[in-house]
């Protein structure tokens, strides 16, 4: 039986699209029960709706800075949809304990760097500035510390001599779209634990 997942987005949701495409395979262990956004204008909502996915938006601006109340409303929507696991896919809000504790151990995120390197924003520019030889993306469990949760899997790309922020971001994004569905499938299948290697064999890792 497929597990019901909820996907949180704030914008176009390209990683959401990757999860939706994966879930369309009858053999994939998850179905998307809800795509939920804090932004009613998020382009990804229309994309998900066009794919027949239930969507909802709970505008954080109407809560006038009460982040806990907003997250309580988001949580209620996830519960009402029968969601079992939540995936953040370009959700641009730092979570409070309301959602983190409600979904502890069942809340995943994908981050565009090889954590613990470059948590937070502007990861590609920071990687270039640091002169690293490789960059990539990480799927991890979400905890209260920003991008500090247990790492489930990573995919790597080389940093090329002529890379710009945009070219590096584009190559990492390809790996994000491959890594997230593969990691979620392994996670739901019970094949991922904290003591396993951080790289999935088919995640596009560059040796």
């Amino acid at each position: 039986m497929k597990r019901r997942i909820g996907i949180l987005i704030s914008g176009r949701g390209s990683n959401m699209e990757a999860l939706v495409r994966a879930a369309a395979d009858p053999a994939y262990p998850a179905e998307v029960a809800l795509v939920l956004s804090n932004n009613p204008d998020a382009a990804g909502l229309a994309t998900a709706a066009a794919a027949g996915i239930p969507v909802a938006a709970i505008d954080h601006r109407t809560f006038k800075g009460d982040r806990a109340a907003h997250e309580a409303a988001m949580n209620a929507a996830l519960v009402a949809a029968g969601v079992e696991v939540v995936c953040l896919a370009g959700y641009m809000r730092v979570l409070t304990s309301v959602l983190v504790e409600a979904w502890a151990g069942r809340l995943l995120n994908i981050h565009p760097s090889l954590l613990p390197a470059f948590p937070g924003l502007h990861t590609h520019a920071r990687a270039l500035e640091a002169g690293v030889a490789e960059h990539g993306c990480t799927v991890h469990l979400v905890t209260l510390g920003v991008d500090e949760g247990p790492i489930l899997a990573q995919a790597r790309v080389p940093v090329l001599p002529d890379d710009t922020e945009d070219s590096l971001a584009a190559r990492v994004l390809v790996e994000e779209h491959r890594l997230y569905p593969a990691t979620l499938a392994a996670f739901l299948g019970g094949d991922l634990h904290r003591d396993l290697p951080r790289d999935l064999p088919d995640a596009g890792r560059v040796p």
Side-chain angles (χ1 to χ4, degrees):
M1 179 179 295
K2 291 196 173 203
R3 304 287 295 277
R4 293 173 63 83
I5 66 167
I7 304 176
L8 270 55
I9 64 171
S10 292
R12 66 191 178 107
S14 69
N15 275 303
M16 175 271 295
E17 292 183 55
L19 292 171
V20 168
R21 285 194 300 270
D25 183 343
Y28 194 75
E31 63 177 323
V32 182
L34 178 67
V35 172
L36 180 61
S37 181
N38 65 298
N39 174 19
D41 299 321
L45 292 173
T47 302
I53 306 296
V55 301
I58 301 175
D59 192 341
H60 68 274
R61 293 168 293 191
T62 65
F63 289 80
K64 303 185 184 305
D66 189 342
R67 299 173 71 90
H70 177 253
E71 288 193 7
M74 297 283 281
N75 184 61
L78 294 167
V79 171
V83 168
E84 298 172 84
V85 174
V86 177
C87 295
L88 306 183
Y91 187 69
M92 303 305 291
R93 306 256 309 161
V94 176
L95 299 186
T96 75
S97 60
V98 173
L99 280 177
V100 171
E101 292 179 2
W103 296 94
R106 299 179 294 151
L107 182 59
L108 282 66
N109 183 47
I110 187 159
H111 180 76
S113 81
L114 295 173
L115 292 173
F118 313 121
L121 301 175
H122 310 300
T123 61
H124 310 303
R126 290 159 61 199
L128 291 173
E129 290 170 4
V132 295
E134 63 179 5
H135 189 44
C137 52
T138 303
V139 177
H140 65 96
L141 292 175
V142 177
T143 59
L144 284 175
V146 176
D147 300 324
E148 293 180 358
I151 291 172
L152 298 178
Q154 294 181 314
R156 303 169 185 270
V157 301
V159 178
L160 305 179
D162 59 348
D163 260 331
T164 65
E165 183 178 352
D166 287 344
S167 66
L168 183 56
R171 289 207 317 285
V172 170
L173 190 61
V174 170
E175 300 308 324
E176 290 180 43
H177 294 168
R178 194 179 309 182
L179 182 70
Y180 211 176
T183 306
L184 177 61
F187 177 79
L188 294 176
D191 298 327
L192 282 181
H193 304 280
R194 296 185 191 183
D195 57 349
L196 290 183
R198 292 179 177 179
D199 294 285
L200 289 178
D202 298 322
R205 181 175 186 264
V206 175

